[in-house]
C-alpha cells in the first residue's frame, strides 16, 4: 500500500490519470450523489442501503455490482494514508460527490489524520470549452497537480459540512440564506456556483417545473426533438450541472409522464 491515495470522480479521469507519473493508490468514486435519496449520516449502513435500492431501480444496476463497485471500495478510506488527493470538478455533480467524500473522511477516527488536498479545475489553458478532467491527458493532469492543488483546512471541512447538511435537507429557504450570508469560501470556490445551481432545482415555477425541467422543455419546444440532440443542447448551456445522459433521462421521463414532451 502506498502512503498516498488519489480519489478520482468517475472513470472518465482514470485513463488520463494512468498516463501520469504520480505515485499512489487510486479510488474511483462512482456514485451520483447529485441525484436520488440522501441522509445526513453517509457513514451509516442505512445510507448505502437506500442508495443501493435507488440506483438499482433507476439505472438497472444489480445490488451485487453496486456493492462490489461502490460500497466495498470505500474500505480503502480507513487505511492509514499520509496524503489524500481529491480530484473533483466544478459542476454540481462533482461538488456533491466531493462533499460526500469529505464527510466520509471527516468521520474517520484514525489517530493521525492525513493531509488532504483538492484538485478542482474550472478552466484549463487553451481549452475554452473545458468540461472536465476526463478530457485531459496525463501531462495535463500533472499540470493541474503542480499548479492548482491546494491543501484543505479545517474551515473547508466546516464549510463542506454545512453544505452537505443543507443539500440533504432540500430546504430552499435555508440554502438561500446560507448562500447569501457566507462571505468566505476558502479553497471551496466551486461550491457556491454549484449550490446556486442546486437552488434552481429546488425552486419550481407556476407549472411545477424546476430549472432543469424548464430548460429541457424550452429546448424541445424550440424544435430540438430527438433525445441525443436535447442532451447536447442542454450541455451547451448548463454544464454547471455536470449530469450525463442517464441522469438527464430522469428529468425527461418526468416531462414525458406529464405529457409535455414526446422525443
Amino acid at each position: 500500500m502506498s502512503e498516498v491515495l488519489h480519489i478520482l470522480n468517475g472513470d472518465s479521469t482514470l485513463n488520463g490519470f494512468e498516463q501520469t507519473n504520480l505515485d499512489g493508490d487510486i479510488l474511483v468514486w462512482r456514485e451520483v450523489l447529485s441525484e436520488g435519496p440522501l441522509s445526513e449520516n453517509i457513514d451509516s449502513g442505512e445510507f448505502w442501503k437506500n442508495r443501493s435500492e435507488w440506483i438499482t431501480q433507476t439505472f438497472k444496476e444489480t445490488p451485487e455490482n453496486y456493492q462490489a463497485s461502490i460500497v466495498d471500495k470505500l474500505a480503502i478510506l480507513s487505511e492509514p494514508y499520509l496524503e489524500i488527493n481529491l480530484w473533483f470538478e466544478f459542476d454540481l455533480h462533482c461538488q456533491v460527490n466531493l462533499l460526500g467524500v469529505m464527510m466520509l473522511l471527516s468521520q474517520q477516527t484514525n489517530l493521525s489524520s492525513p493531509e488532504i488536498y483538492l484538485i478542482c479545475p474550472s478552466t484549463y489553458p487553451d481549452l475554452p470549452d473545458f468540461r472536465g478532467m476526463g478530457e485531459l491527458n496525463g501531462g495535463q493532469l500533472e499540470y493541474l497537480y503542480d499548479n492548482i492543488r491546494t491543501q484543505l483546512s479545517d474551515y473547508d471541512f466546516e464549510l463542506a459540512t454545512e453544505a452537505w447538511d443543507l443539500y440533504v435537507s432540500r430546504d430552499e429557504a435555508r440554502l438561500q440564506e446560507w448562500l447569501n450570508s457566507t462571505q468566505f469560501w476558502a479553497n471551496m470556490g466551486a461550491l457556491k456556483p454549484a449550490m446556486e445551481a442546486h437552488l434552481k432545482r429546488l425552486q419550481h415555477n407556476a407549472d411545477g417545473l424546476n430549472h432543469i425541467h424548464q430548460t429541457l422543455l424550452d429546448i424541445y419546444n424550440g424544435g430540438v426533438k430527438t433525445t441525443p440532440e436535447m442532451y447536447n443542447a442542454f450541455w451547451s448551456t448548463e454544464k454547471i450541472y455536470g449530469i450525463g445522459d442517464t441522469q438527464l433521462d430522469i428529468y425527461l421521463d418526468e416531462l414525458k409522464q406529464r405529457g409535455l414532451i414526446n422525443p
Side-chain angles (χ1 to χ4, degrees):
M1 188 188 81
S2 172
E3 294 181 342
V4 177
L5 175 65
H6 298 276
I7 303 180
L8 312 180
N9 189 68
D11 289 281
S12 62
T13 308
L14 180 60
N15 182 56
F17 190 85
E18 289 177 333
Q19 301 170 18
T20 72
N21 293 312
L22 299 174
D23 295 327
D25 297 333
I26 299 172
L27 169 64
V28 179
W29 182 269
R30 296 185 171 96
E31 247 286 4
V32 286
L33 298 179
S34 57
E35 301 290 345
L38 298 175
S39 54
E40 187 173 333
N41 185 8
I42 193 173
D43 202 29
S44 69
E46 180 183 7
F47 181 96
W48 295 104
K49 177 178 179 292
N50 291 337
R51 291 300 300 174
S52 177
E53 291 175 351
W54 184 79
I55 291 287
T56 54
Q57 292 171 7
T58 305
F59 298 117
K60 307 301 186 292
E61 182 62 274
T62 66
E64 294 77 15
N65 192 55
Y66 180 85
Q67 181 71 32
S69 64
I70 296 178
V71 180
D72 290 348
K73 302 292 186 184
L74 300 179
I76 199 172
L77 299 179
S78 299
E79 298 295 337
Y81 289 103
L82 300 181
E83 176 185 308
I84 298 178
N85 295 291
L86 309 178
W87 298 76
F88 287 80
E89 289 146 0
F90 61 90
D91 56 73
L92 177 64
H93 167 76
C94 289
Q95 287 294 298
V96 177
N97 283 338
L98 172 62
L99 294 178
V101 171
M102 291 176 70
M103 293 305 95
L104 282 171
L105 292 174
S106 68
Q107 292 168 17
Q108 299 300 318
T109 56
N110 298 334
L111 292 178
S112 58
S113 298
E115 294 182 346
I116 300 176
Y117 296 86
L118 176 63
I119 300 96
C120 181
S122 58
T123 61
Y124 193 88
D126 301 322
L127 291 179
D129 191 32
F130 176 69
R131 297 193 180 187
M133 289 183 282
E135 302 175 330
L136 306 181
N137 59 34
Q140 292 170 316
L141 291 175
E142 287 189 24
Y143 172 86
L144 294 178
Y145 182 87
D146 292 335
N147 289 276
I148 72 166
R149 188 177 76 130
T150 55
Q151 185 172 0
L152 295 178
S153 66
D154 290 343
Y155 179 81
D156 293 314
F157 274 88
E158 291 172 7
L159 202 61
T161 300
E162 293 174 1
W164 176 255
D165 292 346
L166 286 164
Y167 188 86
V168 170
S169 75
R170 301 182 61 84
D171 189 317
E172 176 187 336
R174 286 181 57 217
L175 177 56
Q176 181 70 76
E177 180 182 1
W178 180 76
L179 286 167
N180 291 340
S181 62
T182 303
Q183 301 298 316
F184 180 55
W185 297 88
N187 297 304
M188 304 289 288
L191 184 58
K192 182 179 182 180
M195 294 296 277
E196 288 174 335
H198 176 55
L199 181 63
K200 291 182 180 181
R201 295 199 306 178
L202 296 179
Q203 298 167 333
H204 292 77
N205 60 23
D207 296 321
L209 303 177
N210 69 14
H211 179 73
I212 294 179
H213 290 127
Q214 189 62 55
T215 300
L216 290 170
L217 182 58
D218 290 344
I219 290 170
Y220 180 81
N221 289 336
V224 180
K225 301 297 185 181
T226 70
T227 301
E229 290 175 323
M230 293 184 72
Y231 293 156
N232 290 328
F234 182 87
W235 292 331
S236 69
T237 61
E238 304 294 330
K239 65 180 182 178
I240 185 62
Y241 287 98
I243 54 180
D245 49 10
T246 54
Q247 293 165 274
L248 278 178
D249 284 343
I250 296 172
Y251 295 92
L252 289 172
D253 287 344
E254 290 168 349
L255 291 173
K256 291 177 189 176
Q257 290 169 13
R258 297 185 57 171
L260 296 174
I261 65 172
N262 185 29

